[in-house]
Structure formats: C-alpha cells, structure tokens
Amino acid sequence: MTPPNCPRRVGILTGGGDCPGLNAVIRAVTQSLLHQCGAEVIGIEDGFAGLLCDPPRARRLDWDSVSGILLLGGTILGSSNRANPLASPQATALTLANVRRLGLDALVVIGGDGSMTIAHGLAQQGLAIVGVPKTIDNDLYGCERSFGFDTAVATATEALERIQTTAHSHRRVMIVETMGRWAGWIALEAGLAAAADAILLPELDYDLPTLARHCQARLQRERYSVICIGEGAKALGGAATLQAAAMPAAQPPDQHPYPQTHPLPTEAGAPQRLGGVAHHLCHALQPLLQAEVRATVLGHVQRGGSPTPSDRVLATLYGNQAAQLLLQGHFGRMVTLSGGQLGHIALAEVAQQQRTVPPGHPLLQAAQQIGVCLGQPEPG
Ligand code: F6P
C-alpha cells in the first residue's frame, strides 16, 4: 500500500566536495522511493548549480540509472562547492522558481556543513528538505559518522604505511598531510591505524621543540619517524597554512564550466583553501634534526575511489533513512547516526556548526598513553 505522505516528485542533489559513497546514497534514496511509493525521482546536476540555471539542469532517475553505481566513487550527478542559492535574493528567487518549475514536492540534499547551511536557508523559505551528512572530514554537527570518512581513513592509512618503508630505509622523518579542514578526525584515525609516531591535529596546537625532541629520540631508537598532520594544524602561536592567496582568480562567470545565469560567488566568497602545512613543518623541523625531513601531501587522493564496504552500508542506510523521513513528512531535518542509532536532527542545529575532536576524546587519550606525540609540551 502506498504510504499516506508519499511525495509525487522528489529532487536529489549532491553539494560540496565529492566523497566516496555519494552514489550509494543516490541509489538508496531512488530505490527506496521507487520501491515504496513509486515517487518520481529527479537528479539535479552539479549540486545547487543545477538550480541556478535557466532552465534548471536535471534528469529523471529510474531503476536503470542507479543500477551498478553503489561501488562508484564521485557522484553521477556532479557537484559544485561554489554555487550558493543564498548568495543574493535573486539567486534564492531563481532557485525557488526552479524547484516549482521542476514540480518538486521535496528535495534531498546530500552534502557537508556548507550544503546543510544552504539547505536550512532554503527550508526557511518553505522548501521541504531532508539532508544527508556527507564528508570525508567527519565534522558534521550532531552526527558521529559521515559516510566517506571510512574510505578516506583507509586511503590515508595505506599511504602512511607505504611512507614508513622509505622512512625506515633512509632513516628519515616523513611528514604526511591529511585533509579534514579544521577537524583532525582523518589524521587521528589514520595516524593511529598506521602507527604514526606523531599525530598533529588542528584542535591541538603543536609545540615544535617538543616534536623535535620526540623525533630525535625515535631516530636514535628506531631509525625513523612518521608524522601524520591534519591540514588545519598549526604551531603554538602560529597560523594555519592557507593556499588560496597563491591561487589565480576564479574564472569570470561567462567562462565558467557551469552555464550559470546567476554569477557564482567569487573566490573571495569561497571557503578558505587549506593545504601545505606538511611543507611548512618540514622547513621548521629540518634545522632541529640530524635526519632528513620530507613532506607528502595526500590531497584529493583521499576523496577518490570506490567506497569501503562500511561506507557503502552507511551510505545505503542514510539514503534509505532520508526516504523514510520524506515518507513520514519529517522535513527540515538531517539524517544522523548517534550512539550507533540512525536518527535525525533539525537542519537549524547543524547549520554553521562543526564537530571537531573534543579535548580528552578516548582516541586522544589512548594515543598519548601509548607514547604517540601529539605535540603537546611536557608539563613542568
Ligand atoms: O571538506 C572536504 C575537503 O576535502 C576538505 O578536507 C578539504 O580541505 C576541502 O574539501 C578541499 O576542497 P577543494 O576540493 O574545493 O579544494
């Protein structure tokens, strides 16, 4: 029997940086809606950019279009992390008009904190929206695990293991930089999983002399050191390493790959671009050590590839849960995992928030207790 609240036509989009598991969510939402109530599912192309075009860019998703995509990295719909329907009243009006033109009763937004903030703004304008937490950074408020994180940790762990070979062979100190923006989850979990000797996080400013002493002691004892550093980390009294200043200006809207009718925000409106802290640390550490110090930045490698089995399952659960929220008429909510249980939280609570590694987290305590250097000055 068709559920009483069954929407007729549901839009789905992927916003922000790509992430392993996006296709698994698209598949689960589509299959769940088709199977349970036969709703029409419309895939919006290139995230919110597809709703900022005239006409909007969208296509119908059926059983065939989501067949075989569970394993695929990236997103079959495309994504954008610049297009912002809240950038101006005109952009908001065009987005709302396009939702009406497409005949959508509801919209599923799969994205990170930026997309959830936009989703909340659009929900306030009256759109029926359900959010699904996506990000390799694992930093979405109210959700203990976003899909994509497990895959990123697996990739970073493998990279750290491979680096260890060279570190050992050449008696080097190797620094490996992970993504994660202002949250250190990837660095912390990958560092622990790959037995890094030092783990430096954005949440804990590191003391350079302490780190140097730790590496020097390791060199005498074990020949080498591997340091895993989150891209947002910084030295005590220092600043985070940003890339944006070195980048050329964004293309003017008329040359941009998305054929927009509404201009995309300029580079100045885009989020700060982190990256390069490993090289920064390499230069600072080298004069303090007798071994050679080298840096590797993992970058977008962490966002690519097929999702791990665990991410495929989580993304499928999240996609199905989003469909259940639609069927139950629970809008303005984001799917969550809390205490191992699926649930949902108001978008209003998630918007503009971040979930960073809290002081005293059990993983931090364990790292410290087994002798991993977190760059914290020794007491006294
Ligand atoms: O939020 C995911 C993420 O991969 C961050 O870890 C990273 O800082 C950022 O996106 C990079 O974004 P872009 O691909 O736009 O450079």
Side-chain angles (χ1 to χ4, degrees):
M1 202 179 76
T2 306
N5 287 320
C6 182
R8 284 168 302 116
R9 221 165 136 88
V10 174
I12 180 165
L13 66 82
T14 51
D18 70 343
C19 170
L22 284 168
N23 288 321
V25 178
I26 295 170
R27 171 181 175 268
V29 171
T30 305
Q31 290 195 179
S32 195
L33 289 173
L34 290 176
H35 180 68
Q36 291 185 77
C37 70
E40 247 187 297
V41 183
I42 305 297
I44 315 287
E45 293 172 7
D46 298 324
F48 288 109
L51 290 176
L52 286 165
C53 293
D54 192 5
R57 283 182 293 114
R59 60 180 192 265
R60 191 174 167 172
L61 299 178
D62 55 19
W63 287 97
D64 230 28
S65 31
V66 298
S67 166
I69 67 169
L70 175 65
L71 286 61
L72 294 183
T75 160
I76 59 164
L77 294 174
S79 190
S80 158
N81 52 9
R82 302 260 188 84
N84 182 359
L86 306 179
S88 68
Q90 297 91 311
T92 308
L94 179 59
T95 304
L96 297 176
N98 277 335
V99 168
R100 282 193 298 273
R101 273 162 91 174
L102 290 169
L104 304 179
D105 303 321
L107 188 61
V108 175
V109 173
I110 312 170
D113 54 353
S115 301
M116 292 308 140
T117 302
I118 294 172
H120 172 54
L122 293 176
Q124 285 182 309
Q125 301 285 327
L127 286 194
I129 296 195
V130 169
V132 181
K134 164 245 59 159
T135 169
I136 62 164
D137 304 341
N138 203 29
D139 63 350
L140 267 158
Y141 182 82
C143 184
E144 65 197 18
R145 193 144 287 227
S146 49
F147 71 87
F149 174 65
D150 187 67
T151 310
V153 168
T155 305
T157 301
E158 193 195 337
L160 282 155
E161 283 167 16
R162 287 173 184 271
I163 290 280
Q164 218 165 42
T165 317
T166 305
H168 185 266
S169 306
H170 293 266
R171 289 182 179 269
R172 282 182 184 161
V173 172
M174 304 289 276
I175 306 168
V176 178
E177 176 181 321
T178 66
M179 279 188 162
R181 289 196 301 173
W182 308 111
W185 296 107
I186 301 177
L188 181 57
E189 290 214 9
L192 280 172
D197 311 306
I199 301 176
L200 307 177
L201 309 177
E203 293 87 348
L204 293 173
D205 291 355
Y206 63 86
D207 177 54
L208 189 64
T210 302
L211 180 64
R213 276 195 298 278
H214 181 84
C215 293
Q216 199 55 47
R218 277 252 342 159
L219 285 168
Q220 273 146 22
R221 221 172 48 208
E222 278 115 336
R223 290 175 62 94
Y224 72 97
S225 271
V226 174
I227 301 171
C228 180
I229 184 166
E231 63 181 356
K234 60 181 176 22
L236 275 168
T241 311
L242 298 178
Q243 274 190 43
M247 298 299 291
Q251 286 177 322
D254 55 346
Q255 289 166 30
H256 200 276
Y258 305 125
Q260 305 286 326
T261 53
H262 185 81
L264 290 166
T266 58
E267 193 64 42
Q272 285 176 312
R273 194 174 298 170
L274 290 159
V277 69
H279 292 285
H280 181 80
L281 175 59
C282 186
H283 284 112
L285 201 52
Q286 185 60 86
L288 306 178
L289 295 178
Q290 276 137 25
E292 201 177 335
V293 186
R294 294 292 189 93
T296 302
V297 179
L298 298 183
H300 293 88
V301 166
Q302 296 156 98
R303 288 218 315 238
S306 184
T308 57
S310 162
D311 269 339
R312 290 177 205 178
V313 172
L314 188 62
T316 301
L317 288 175
Y318 281 180
N320 180 52
Q321 171 80 345
Q324 301 318 310
L325 292 183
L326 292 174
L327 296 180
Q328 291 156 12
H330 286 311
F331 301 121
R333 317 284 300 174
M334 183 188 82
V335 171
T336 59
L337 189 74
S338 178
Q341 300 294 311
L342 282 173
H344 48 94
I345 185 173
L347 285 169
E349 278 188 68
V350 180
Q352 312 279 12
Q353 299 269 18
Q354 265 171 16
R355 194 181 73 94
T356 52
V357 180
H361 187 277
L363 291 182
L364 288 178
Q365 277 181 17
Q368 226 151 14
Q369 285 162 357
I370 64 168
V372 174
C373 174
L374 298 174
Q376 300 308 286
E378 285 116 23

